[in-house]
C-alpha cells in the first residue's frame, strides 16, 4: 500500500526555532491522521515535505521519540507510536491514583495560588479550544493535566511526571486523533476543575477516575 501524502502545510521552515517548528508540524500531522499509528517515518520524503534538511529533521524526530509520540525500532527505523489497548489501559490505571492524589492536595486550598494556577491553565486550554486549532488544544490539554500534577506541592509527583508524562502524551494524542469533540473537551475539563474547587474528597476521587477511564474507554471503542 502506498504511503499517504503528508502535506504538513506551512511552507519552508526558516525561523531560528526550526527544530521546534518542525516538531510542531509533525505533531499536527499525528493529530490529523496524516501520519498514522505504526507508520514508518521516511526521512527523505518527510524532509522534502517540510522543506528542511535531514539533520534538522532528525533532531525533531529524536525530540518526538523522547516525548513518546514516535518510537525508534532497532534496525527498522522510526515509527509513529502505536499503543496497544492494554498499554492505554495501563496508562489510565497509573494516572488515576496519582492524579487523584494531586487533585486532593489542590482541594485543600481552593482559593490559593496553586488552584489559581490550575484555573489559569484551564483558561488557556479553553481559549485554545476556541481557536479551533487542534494542535494548540492538544498542547494545552496536556498542559492542564501537568499543571494539576505540578501545582499539587508534591516533590514526588513532580519527579514521577516525566516518567508518566510521555505515556500520557501518547494516550492524549490518540484520544485527540480519534475523537475530536471540542465542546465535550471544554465541558469535561470545566467540570473537573470545578469538582476540585468544591473540595468533596469522594466526588474528586470519582470525577478523576471517570474523567480518565471514560476517555480511554471511548478511544478503545473507536479503535476497535
Amino acid at each position: 500500500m502506498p504511503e499517504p501524502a503528508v502535506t504538513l502545510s506551512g511552507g519552508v521552515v526558516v525561523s531560528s526555532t526550526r527544530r521546534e517548528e518542525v516538531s510542531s508540524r509533525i505533531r499536527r500531522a499525528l493529530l490529523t491522521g496524516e501520519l498514522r499509528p505504526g507508520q514508518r517515518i521516511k526521512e527523505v520524503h518527510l524532509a522534502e515535505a517540510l522543506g528542511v534538511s535531514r539533520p534538522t529533521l532528525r533532531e525533531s524526530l529524536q525530540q518526538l521519540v523522547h516525548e513518546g509520540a514516535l518510537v525508534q525500532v532497532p534496525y527498522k527505523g522510526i515509527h509513529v507510536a502505536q499503543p496497544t489497548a492494554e498499554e492505554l489501559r495501563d496508562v489510565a490505571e497509573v494516572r488515576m491514583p496519582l492524579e487523584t492524589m494531586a487533585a486532593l492536595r489542590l482541594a485543600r486550598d481552593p482559593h490559593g495560588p496553586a488552584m489559581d494556577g490550575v484555573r489559569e491553565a484551564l483558561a488557556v486550554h479553553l481559549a485554545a479550544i476556541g481557536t479551533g486549532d487542534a494542535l494548540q488544544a492538544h498542547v494545552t490539554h496536556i498542559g492542564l493535566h501537568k499543571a494539576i500534577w505540578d501545582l499539587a506541592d508534591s516533590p514526588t509527583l513532580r519527579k514521577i511526571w516525566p516518567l508518566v508524562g510521555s505515556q500520557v502524551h501518547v494516550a492524549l494524542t490518540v484520544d485527540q486523533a480519534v475523537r475530536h469533540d471540542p465542546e465535550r473537551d471544554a465541558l469535561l475539563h470545566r467540570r473537573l476543575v470545578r469538582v476540585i474547587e468544591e473540595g468533596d474528597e469522594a466526588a474528586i476521587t470519582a470525577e478523576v477516575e471517570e474523567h480518565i477511564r471514560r476517555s480511554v474507554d471511548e478511544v478503545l471503542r473507536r479503535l476497535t
Side-chain angles (χ1 to χ4, degrees):
M1 178 182 295
E3 292 293 329
V6 180
T7 57
L8 297 136
S9 60
V12 176
V13 180
V14 295
S15 73
S16 60
T17 56
R18 179 171 294 187
R19 183 182 69 177
E20 185 53 43
E21 178 69 17
V22 173
S23 299
S24 293
R25 287 163 65 184
I26 295 172
R27 291 188 193 100
R28 190 181 300 278
L30 295 170
L31 292 172
T32 60
E34 291 180 88
L35 292 174
R36 303 187 308 266
Q39 180 179 334
R40 182 178 179 181
I41 301 296
K42 295 185 177 180
E43 288 188 9
V44 173
H45 296 162
L46 194 54
E48 289 178 356
L50 291 166
V52 296
S53 67
R54 290 180 69 181
T56 297
L57 176 65
R58 288 193 189 109
E59 288 184 11
S60 296
L61 293 178
Q62 287 304 315
Q63 179 180 344
L64 292 167
V65 168
H66 179 71
E67 291 176 3
L70 303 177
V71 292
Q72 192 151 20
V73 182
Y75 309 111
K76 294 184 179 181
I78 294 176
H79 293 66
V80 178
Q82 187 175 24
T84 65
E86 182 178 3
E87 288 170 337
L88 289 172
R89 289 196 182 280
D90 282 349
V91 173
E93 292 297 329
V94 169
R95 279 183 67 194
M96 281 187 286
L98 295 172
E99 207 150 316
T100 298
M101 173 183 168
L104 290 172
R105 291 175 74 96
L106 287 166
R108 296 173 185 171
D109 187 6
H111 304 294
M115 272 307 301
D116 286 342
V118 171
R119 282 187 282 267
E120 181 178 351
L122 173 64
V124 170
H125 182 45
L126 295 177
I129 292 172
T131 67
D133 186 324
L135 178 57
Q136 285 306 307
H138 173 65
V139 170
T140 57
H141 184 184
I142 294 170
L144 172 57
H145 285 281
K146 185 175 185 297
I148 291 172
W149 288 55
D150 283 349
L151 295 169
D153 194 26
S154 167
T156 300
L157 286 174
R158 291 195 194 99
K159 289 177 183 177
I160 292 174
W161 174 264
L163 302 175
V164 178
S166 63
Q167 297 305 310
V168 173
H169 191 288
V170 172
L172 295 183
T173 297
V174 174
D175 182 292
Q176 176 80 5
V178 304
R179 183 180 54 77
H180 181 62
D181 188 346
E183 290 185 6
R184 179 183 179 280
D185 185 350
L187 175 66
L188 290 180
H189 288 92
R190 282 195 186 98
R191 188 171 73 194
L192 175 63
V193 172
R194 184 180 69 249
V195 169
I196 296 173
E197 290 173 328
E198 291 172 351
D200 183 280
E201 290 191 8
I204 290 171
T205 301
E207 183 63 29
V208 172
E209 179 174 351
E210 175 71 7
H211 186 93
I212 295 172
R213 193 183 298 280
R214 181 192 298 169
S215 175
V216 73
D217 285 346
E218 290 187 2
V219 167
L220 292 176
R221 279 198 297 272
R222 290 172 182 264
L223 289 176
T224 56

